[in-house]
Amino acid sequence: MQKVWIYLENGTFLEANSFGATGTSVGEIVFNTSLTGYQEIITDPSYAGQFVTFTMPEIGNVGVNEEDMESKTAYCKGVLVRNYHHEHSNFRAQGDLDALLKEHNVLGICNIDTRYLTKMLRDEGAMMMIASTEVSSKEELAKKLSESPRIEDINYIKEVSTKEPYVHKFGAWNHEELAYNKAMMSDKKVVVVDFGVKRNILNELVQSGLEVEVIPSTFKAEDLIARFEAKEIGGIFLSNGPGDPLTLREEKEEVQKLIDANIPMFAICLGHQMLSIAHGFDTYKLKFGQHGGNHPVANPDNVVEITAQNHNYNVPDNIIEIAEITHQNLFDNTIEGVKYKNKEIFSVQHHPEASPGPHESKYIFDEFAKIVK
């Protein structure tokens, strides 16, 4: 293992060991409290521009495999772990995490006190950092970090969104492409606006009985409105994605047009935030965000669901002027889901596709499918 040097914008300077890719990377550091699923986290496009600190101390022990990829590549800047295990043991493993990170040019940092980092981020909030296997000087790292753009100044949607439309035909537990009867599916088709969509979200939409077409984030609302009026599609899904939603000004204008057209819509995470902004209610940044697989959320029946979450931004409390709160986070009472008044539009902040258990949120996909059909 090579040495790697880390500098945080609060002045903290650390030395550790590296695995995965080499080089120098700048991004925002956050922490994730999930006990499992490190490959899904690393390949989630919503982590573009971020370093992920795992509070789970043992990472790499179950290897990696193709089925657990949430996207075609890994968009995060790097991962920080207490102990990295190159030797893995799992019947599903097809390779090791080190090779995956090298393939997708992601820095791996290990033999570092992740408890110390997590407590720092909890107390001081998410912050920018730089890590390098090439530069060991604290002063030089500080200079490079000060000269680099902040995560909120970068539109990572352009990087993670698909460039061409495509149809997704895989269900949650079916790794074979599903054959559609076009005559039967004409009223069951939805368009997914890809801000950085996770593959498992697409799987769950298909599993609920919908035909799923994915389009780039550079969509034009007029095209979708025309297709809806022609009964070619029955609804629109706005996906998760990375970065500050307030930077997506052009996308906001297009979403506003979709809202005015009264098209049924469902959204998760960034899409949830985009709906709020398009309705005139700007999001705000949380101190250190919510990243993990153990967040309790109260649903409309006042049943507690254990949810997976990954977001740094949240919709404001005054959104109750135009929407009913359907889900609420029991850690900090932030809003987790809303249903807009007099519209077939609803959204959630957490990730119902992620299956953290024991009481889960996948029913939300079925609710959307009923509206579309």
Side-chain angles (χ1 to χ4, degrees):
M1 289 186 179
Q2 291 183 247
K3 290 291 185 182
V4 59
W5 294 271
I6 302 105
Y7 180 82
L8 280 68
E9 66 175 314
N10 68 352
T12 300
F13 180 61
L14 302 168
E15 180 182 298
N17 294 119
S18 76
F19 63 102
T22 57
T24 302
S25 288
V26 175
E28 181 181 54
I29 179 173
V30 297
F31 64 87
N32 186 294
T33 58
S34 295
L35 297 179
T36 60
Y38 58 78
Q39 183 182 350
E40 291 93 327
I41 292 165
I42 292 169
T43 58
D44 179 350
S46 295
Y47 279 110
Q50 292 181 318
F51 285 89
V52 184
T53 302
F54 287 99
T55 60
M56 173 62 179
E58 313 296 331
I59 297 294
N61 49 322
V62 295
V64 298
N65 64 77
E66 178 58 33
E67 290 179 3
D68 290 345
M69 294 287 289
E70 286 287 7
S71 62
K72 64 181 183 295
T73 187
Y75 292 102
C76 64
K77 291 291 187 177
V79 297
L80 297 94
V81 307
R82 180 66 186 91
N83 298 314
Y84 166 65
H85 295 272
H86 183 74
E87 297 296 329
H88 54 270
S89 177
N90 187 289
F91 74 99
R92 298 177 66 241
Q94 298 170 330
D96 59 75
L97 179 58
D98 176 64
L100 179 76
L101 296 187
K102 285 177 179 174
E103 178 183 356
H104 299 292
N105 197 33
V106 175
L107 282 175
I109 299 168
C110 63
N111 300 333
I112 193 169
D113 190 344
T114 52
R115 182 187 293 270
Y116 165 77
L117 288 172
T118 300
K119 290 171 68 176
M120 179 193 301
L121 297 174
R122 182 195 63 191
D123 294 341
E124 299 184 35
M127 64 185 75
M128 295 296 292
M129 66 163 274
I130 183 171
S132 178
T133 59
E134 307 162 319
V135 180
S136 60
S137 165
K138 176 181 177 180
E139 291 71 25
E140 188 174 347
L141 289 173
K143 182 175 184 293
K144 286 181 177 292
L145 180 60
S146 66
E147 294 171 346
S148 300
R150 300 184 64 82
I151 189 170
E152 55 265 27
D153 298 326
I154 304 173
N155 184 345
Y156 279 105
I157 304 300
K158 296 178 180 178
E159 177 183 340
V160 303
S161 179
T162 183
K163 302 300 184 286
E164 298 292 336
Y166 65 93
V167 175
H168 185 85
K169 296 184 177 181
F170 299 91
W173 299 106
N174 190 332
H175 303 300
E176 301 287 336
E177 284 197 14
L178 303 182
Y180 289 110
N181 182 324
K182 292 297 181 184
M184 293 177 60
M185 296 299 291
S186 61
D187 63 341
K188 301 174 184 176
K189 186 171 186 176
V190 296
V191 168
V192 173
V193 178
D194 180 13
F195 295 127
V197 69
K198 293 171 63 180
R199 186 168 69 176
N200 269 326
I201 289 178
L202 301 178
N203 292 346
E204 290 295 340
L205 288 169
V206 170
Q207 195 73 28
S208 65
L210 297 170
E211 184 180 0
V212 176
E213 178 186 344
V214 185
I215 65 172
S217 62
T218 53
F219 74 100
K220 294 301 178 184
E222 289 82 358
D223 298 336
L224 296 182
I225 293 170
R227 294 178 66 184
F228 177 73
E229 292 175 345
K231 301 188 184 303
E232 182 185 338
I233 62 175
I236 295 171
F237 175 81
L238 304 180
S239 85
N240 62 293
D244 185 347
L246 291 177
T247 65
L248 308 178
R249 298 177 184 88
E250 294 179 6
E251 293 85 347
K252 180 191 77 169
E253 292 178 1
E254 299 304 314
V255 172
Q256 285 174 328
K257 296 173 185 176
L258 297 177
I259 293 170
D260 294 339
N262 291 319
I263 300 177
M265 281 193 283
F266 169 40
I268 289 175
C269 205
L270 178 70
H272 163 78
Q273 298 160 10
M274 287 296 299
L275 282 174
S276 175
I277 295 168
H279 276 92
F281 293 80
D282 286 353
T283 53
Y284 64 95
K285 190 169 186 177
L286 298 166
K287 184 176 180 180
F288 47 80
Q290 295 169 335
H291 313 273
N294 58 347
H295 290 249
V297 168
N299 69 18
D301 297 322
N302 208 30
V303 173
V304 177
E305 301 169 3
I306 303 302
T307 68
Q309 308 213 6
N310 174 25
H311 61 105
N312 274 20
Y313 300 87
N314 224 76
V315 303
D317 291 340
N318 63 343
I319 201 171
I320 59 173
E321 296 174 18
I322 60 167
E324 170 193 354
I325 297 176
T326 58
H327 298 75
Q328 196 149 22
N329 191 301
L330 299 180
F331 276 158
D332 60 5
N333 292 320
T334 52
I335 295 172
E336 287 288 342
V338 297
K339 168 74 171 66
Y340 288 89
K341 297 176 182 177
N342 304 316
K343 297 172 183 171
E344 295 285 11
I345 299 176
F346 67 101
S347 60
V348 293
Q349 181 61 73
H350 53 280
H351 283 267
E353 82 288 346
S355 305
H359 297 294
E360 297 175 348
S361 312
K362 289 188 178 182
Y363 63 87
I364 296 175
F365 293 100
D366 293 331
E367 290 182 357
F368 181 52
K370 289 176 184 178
I371 294 173
V372 171
K373 297 173 187 178

